Amino acid sequence: MSIWEVILAFLVVVLILVSLLSNVLVLICFLYSADIRKQVPGLFILNLTFSNLLMTVLNMPLTLAGIIYKNQPGGDQFCHMVGFLETFLTTNSMLSMAALSIDRWIAVVFPLSYHSKMRYKDAALILSYTWLHSVSFPIVAASLSWVGFHHLYASCTLCNKRSEERTQFVIFTGVFHILSFLLSLIVLCFTYLKVLKVARFHCKRIDVITMQTLVLLVDIHPSVRERCLEEQKRRRQRATKKISTFIGTFILCFAPYVITRLVELSSVVPISSHWGVISKCLAYSKAVSDPFVYSLLRHQYKKTWKDIINKILKRSSINSSALTSESHNQNILQMIE
C-alpha cells in the first residue's frame, strides 16, 4: 500500500467510528426522551439516522476493504446487494434532509397551522414517498446490471461495464443525480431561504423594540447597553449560521462526488483513483455530520444527554455507597468474631 492508500484507509476507519458513535447516540436520545419521540421531525431524523447507520455498517467497511485489497470484496451477488443499498441509502438520506427542511419551513412560515399541516400521518406519507423514490433507481440499475464494483471509488456502486449500453447509462446517471442531489438541493435552498427571510424579519422587529427601549432607558449602564447590542448582533447571525450549515454541509459532502460521477461519464478529463476515493469519503462524511447538524447540538438533545448522564452517575453513586456500607458491615462482623 502507498502512503496515499494508508491515509485514505485511516480516514475511512475514522469515519466509521465517529459515524457509528454519533448516530447511536442519536438513537439512544430518541429512545430515552418521550418529548423527542412526540415531535413529528423525530420521524425524519430517525429515518436519516437509520440510513446513516446502515451506510456505516455495510458500505464503509467494504470501501475500506476495496482500498486495502484493490479488488471487489466478496462475490458478485454480494457486491450487487451492497451497491443496491448504497444507491438507496444515499438517495434516502438526501430526501430525508429535504423533508426536514420542509418541516422547518412549515413550522416557521406557517406557525399557527403547523400542527394541522404536519401531522404524523403527513410525515408518514412523506417518508413513504422518500422510500419509493429512493428504491426506484436501484431497482432499475439492478435489473439492467448497472451495479457492481467500481475501482475508481473502491466501492460497490453504480457502474456500467458494457460499452454498447454507455449512452443509456449516461442518461440514467444524469436523471438519477438530478432527481436525488439536485432536487434535494433545490428544496433545501427554497425552504431554508424562506425560513431565513422570516427569521430576519423577526430580528428586525426585535431590534426596533430593543433600540426604542435603550433610548427610553436614559440611566441604563453602558455595559448593559453594549450587551444588548452584542446580543442583537448575535441574533442576526444565528439564523444565517444555522442555515448556512444545513445547506453548506450538503453541498460540501455530496457535490464533489456527484460532479466526479458526471465528469467520469464524459471521458474528457481523466480522474485520479485517489480523488475518486476522496470524493466517496466526502459523501460518507455526511453520515458523520448529520447527527451533529440535525440532532446532538440542539438544546433538547443536550438536555436529554445531561439527564442520561445524571441518571448513570446517580446509579453508580448509589451502588458505590451500598458497596461501601456493605464492606463496612463486614469489617465490623470480622472484628466482633
Side-chain angles (χ1 to χ4, degrees), residues 49-174:
T49 303
F50 272 120
S51 293
N52 290 336
L53 276 175
L54 287 173
M55 183 77 73
T56 304
V57 173
L58 297 174
N59 294 94
M60 292 189 195
L62 291 178
T63 299
L64 177 62
I67 294 170
I68 294 172
Y69 298 110
K70 302 177 184 178
N71 207 344
Q72 174 179 309
D76 289 338
Q77 293 299 322
F78 179 70
C79 192
H80 291 166
M81 181 191 72
V82 172
F84 180 96
L85 283 173
E86 187 260 354
T87 308
F88 167 74
L89 294 173
T90 302
T91 310
N92 191 39
S93 297
M94 292 180 181
L95 295 176
S96 296
M97 294 169 218
L100 281 166
S101 71
I102 292 171
D103 175 82
R104 288 300 86 203
W105 172 58
I106 296 173
V108 174
V109 179
F110 310 103
L112 299 178
S113 58
Y114 171 74
H115 292 291
S116 61
K117 290 184 176 181
M118 188 58 74
R119 298 163 295 178
Y120 267 99
K121 182 174 72 174
D122 302 313
L125 286 173
I126 293 172
L127 283 181
S128 300
Y129 169 75
T130 61
W131 277 62
L132 184 64
H133 185 126
S134 302
V135 81
S136 60
F137 286 99
I139 285 176
V140 173
S143 63
L144 296 172
S145 300
W146 287 345
V147 180
F149 184 75
H150 203 310
H151 287 274
L152 181 62
Y153 308 101
S155 305
C156 295
T157 182
L158 293 177
C159 69
N160 176 39
K161 297 179 180 178
R162 296 191 294 271
S163 58
E164 64 272 12
E165 296 180 356
R166 186 177 181 281
T167 304
Q168 296 94 316
F169 182 73
V170 169
I171 295 170
F172 170 81
T173 306

